[in-house]
């Protein structure tokens, strides 16, 4: 992998990640951009104990432009985009309309491929491996920022999810706090460790799932399963067999196998609902341990946390979506229409031939 860092016309950082070491990236951003002005603010909710990002400048962000005006495609002649060069393998750049900025953290965009009509599932294993390298490198870089406590790499796919740009891409958030979902995991981790005299909850969950009926696919270094209490109609958790706290700690064997396993998982998601259905909308979310001391979570360290990816779709059956209505949105109590065992069975049925 070759990494080349440059600056866009408004001062934002852009990084090219290339498969070839001899690739030269010297194209300049020729757009007449003014410096980016953001108004991101973090507000703490005293009742729930969580935080909300207020970012009013995002109301003006680009919304579902036609393909010939996509800002994530390479620049072509006088059609200038966020990527100055005429081609790329993987690109990461600071979001022009960030939810988090400055002392409130950082937001980046990850373009998986220059092909506007592609998808992550359509990447080669080599391309998917380069994306993994980019996620890992950005995690390492963002943890150096004093405003970042936790790094979250994720992909939103599909208009039903709320995607505003159709080009295959993901995002990376550097949060200035431990997110509520991670905090809940850490509390459960600490309680289980105390109750069992030192047992790791992540290890226990993985062992139980491996012995059960909800495993979707297995590799030598990775295992994917539908969790016992899945919130979403089709939800899969992907774990490395060897517990590590973050992407940086993956060994070479796990990194090498990941593209094959993950691409197969994504391709199965696209086959859940049968032939002729539009691509399955999904969210793919990496869960990594926060950085630094875990204040407020006595008895556990970041090494007790287990890196894993959670992949789920909001489509519950052909042509129907799972909406977060009263119970889910009002009380955070999910009601799942598809038994996890049936979801796992369906994901095994649609394996590649």
């Amino acid at each position: 992998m070759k990494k080349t860092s440059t600056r866009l016309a408004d001062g934002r950082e852009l990084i090219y990640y290339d498969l070839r070491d001899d690739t030269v990236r010297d194209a300049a951003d020729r757009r007449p951009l003014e410096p980016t002005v953001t108004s991101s603010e973090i507000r703490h909710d005293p009742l729930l104990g969580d935080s909300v990002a207020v970012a009013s400048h995002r109301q003006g962000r680009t919304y579902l432009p036609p393909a010939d005006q996509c800002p994530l495609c390479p620049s072509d002649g006088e059609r200038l985009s966020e990527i100055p060069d005429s081609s790329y393998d993987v690109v990461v750049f600071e979001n022009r309309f960030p939810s988090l900025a400055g002392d409130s953290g950082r937001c980046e965009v990850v373009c998986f491929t220059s092909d506007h009509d592609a998808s992550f599932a359509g990447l080669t294993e080599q391309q998917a491996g380069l994306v993994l390298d980019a996620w890992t490198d950005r995690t390492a870089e963002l943890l150096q920022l004093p405003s970042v406590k936790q790094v979250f790499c994720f992909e939103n796919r599909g208009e039903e999810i709320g995607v505003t740009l159709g080009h295959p891409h993901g995002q990376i958030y550097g949060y200035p706090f431990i997110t509520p979902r991670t905090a809940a995991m850490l509390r459960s981790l600490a309680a289980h460790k105390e109750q069992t005299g030192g047992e790791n909850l992540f290890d226990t969950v993985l062992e139980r799932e491996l012995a059960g009926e909800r495993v979707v696919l297995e590799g030598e270094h990775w295992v994917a399963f539908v969790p016992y209490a899945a919130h979403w109609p089709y939800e899969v958790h992907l774990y490395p067999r060897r517990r590590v706290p973050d992407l940086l700690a993956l060994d070479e064997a796990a990194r090498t196998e990941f593209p094959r396993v993950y691409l197969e998982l994504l391709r199965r998601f696209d086959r859940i609902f049968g032939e002729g259905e539009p691509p399955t909308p999904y969210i793919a979310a990496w869960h990594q341990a926060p950085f630094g001391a875990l204040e407020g979570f006595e008895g556990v360290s970041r090494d007790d946390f287990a890196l894993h990816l959670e992949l789920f779709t909001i489509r519950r059956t052909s042509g129907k979506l799972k909406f977060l209505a009263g119970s889910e949105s009002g009380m955070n109590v999910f009601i799942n229409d598809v038994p996890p065992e049936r979801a796992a069975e369906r994901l095994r049925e649609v394996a590649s031939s």
Side-chain angles (χ1 to χ4, degrees):
M1 178 191 78
K2 181 180 181 182
K3 175 183 175 183
T4 306
S5 179
T6 185
R7 292 282 171 180
L8 296 173
D10 56 8
R12 289 175 294 133
E13 185 179 18
L14 179 144
I15 307 113
Y16 294 97
Y17 294 90
D18 286 295
L19 292 168
R20 291 175 56 96
D21 290 335
D22 59 352
T23 303
V24 177
R25 299 295 186 186
D26 56 8
D29 185 2
R30 295 181 284 128
R31 297 173 298 171
L33 297 180
E34 296 293 329
T36 302
V37 177
T38 62
S39 56
S40 181
E41 176 188 359
I42 302 297
R43 297 189 180 184
H44 181 74
D45 186 323
L47 292 179
L48 296 179
D50 59 11
S51 298
V52 175
V54 180
S56 58
H57 62 276
R58 284 174 51 80
Q59 287 282 37
R61 65 188 184 274
T62 307
Y63 184 78
L64 297 176
D68 62 356
Q69 297 177 32
C70 174
L72 305 185
C73 288
S75 291
D76 182 13
E78 294 306 309
R79 194 184 72 79
L80 306 178
S81 73
E82 289 279 65
I83 295 89
D85 216 325
S86 59
S87 67
Y88 64 85
D89 291 337
V90 173
V91 164
V92 176
F93 61 88
E94 289 184 75
N95 198 323
R96 191 176 179 187
F97 303 97
S99 302
L100 309 166
D103 293 339
S104 298
R106 177 156 162 146
C107 291
E108 299 181 339
V109 177
V110 185
C111 299
F112 303 139
T113 171
S114 60
D115 184 352
H116 181 85
D117 298 317
S119 68
F120 202 119
L123 300 181
T124 66
E125 290 187 19
Q126 188 179 34
Q127 289 173 312
L130 184 61
V131 175
L132 177 62
D133 289 341
W135 284 331
T136 306
D137 181 72
R138 297 315 302 155
T139 297
E141 291 293 327
L142 293 183
L143 70 83
Q144 302 298 323
L145 299 179
S147 63
V148 172
K149 179 70 173 177
Q150 183 176 357
V151 176
F152 176 45
C153 307
F154 64 101
E155 179 191 2
N156 297 330
R157 192 256 190 119
E159 290 184 31
E160 301 95 326
I161 296 293
V163 170
T164 58
L165 296 174
H167 195 105
H169 73 288
Q171 299 180 66
I172 303 175
Y173 277 21
Y175 293 103
F177 50 78
I178 296 177
T179 62
R181 190 171 179 86
T182 302
M185 292 182 191
L186 291 172
R187 287 192 294 269
S188 296
L189 186 64
H192 185 81
K193 190 173 185 179
E194 181 179 5
Q195 293 165 5
T196 61
E199 187 177 289
N200 185 281
L201 179 57
F202 286 109
D203 293 349
T204 299
V205 167
L206 184 56
E207 289 169 7
R208 289 175 179 171
E209 292 293 355
L210 281 169
E213 58 182 315
R214 289 178 298 275
V215 173
V216 174
L217 62 88
E218 297 184 61
E220 183 179 353
H221 304 284
W222 294 86
V223 59
F225 58 88
V226 177
Y228 172 75
H231 288 55
W232 299 93
Y234 291 92
E235 175 182 341
V236 177
H237 293 189
L238 178 63
Y239 277 69
R241 291 182 184 270
R242 183 178 70 88
R243 173 166 46 88
V244 295
D246 52 37
L247 290 166
L248 282 71
L250 287 173
D251 61 26
E252 193 58 36
R255 299 183 68 82
T256 299
E257 185 183 71
F258 170 77
R260 179 181 63 80
V261 174
Y262 186 49
L263 290 172
E264 171 62 17
L265 196 56
L266 291 180
R267 290 162 186 166
R268 292 190 191 190
F269 254 59
D270 272 344
R271 293 193 291 269
I272 292 174
F273 303 105
E275 296 294 331
E277 286 290 322
T280 301
Y282 65 74
I283 292 175
W286 279 108
H287 291 265
Q288 304 192 78
F291 300 107
L294 300 180
E295 298 176 4
F297 305 98
E298 282 70 24
V300 298
S301 70
R302 67 185 314 272
D303 286 335
D304 291 315
F305 195 86
L307 167 77
H308 63 283
L309 182 140
E310 298 184 8
L311 173 69
F312 61 90
T313 178
I314 62 171
R315 186 178 293 163
R316 57 186 174 87
T317 189
S318 180
K320 297 179 181 179
L321 301 180
K322 164 65 178 177
F323 291 102
L324 299 189
S327 185
E328 291 89 353
S329 295
M331 283 295 174
N332 199 28
V333 177
F334 276 68
I335 301 169
N336 192 348
D337 303 288
V338 180
E341 292 74 22
R342 174 54 191 149
E345 181 183 17
R346 177 58 181 161
L347 285 162
R348 290 193 296 267
E349 289 174 351
V350 295
S352 298
S353 56

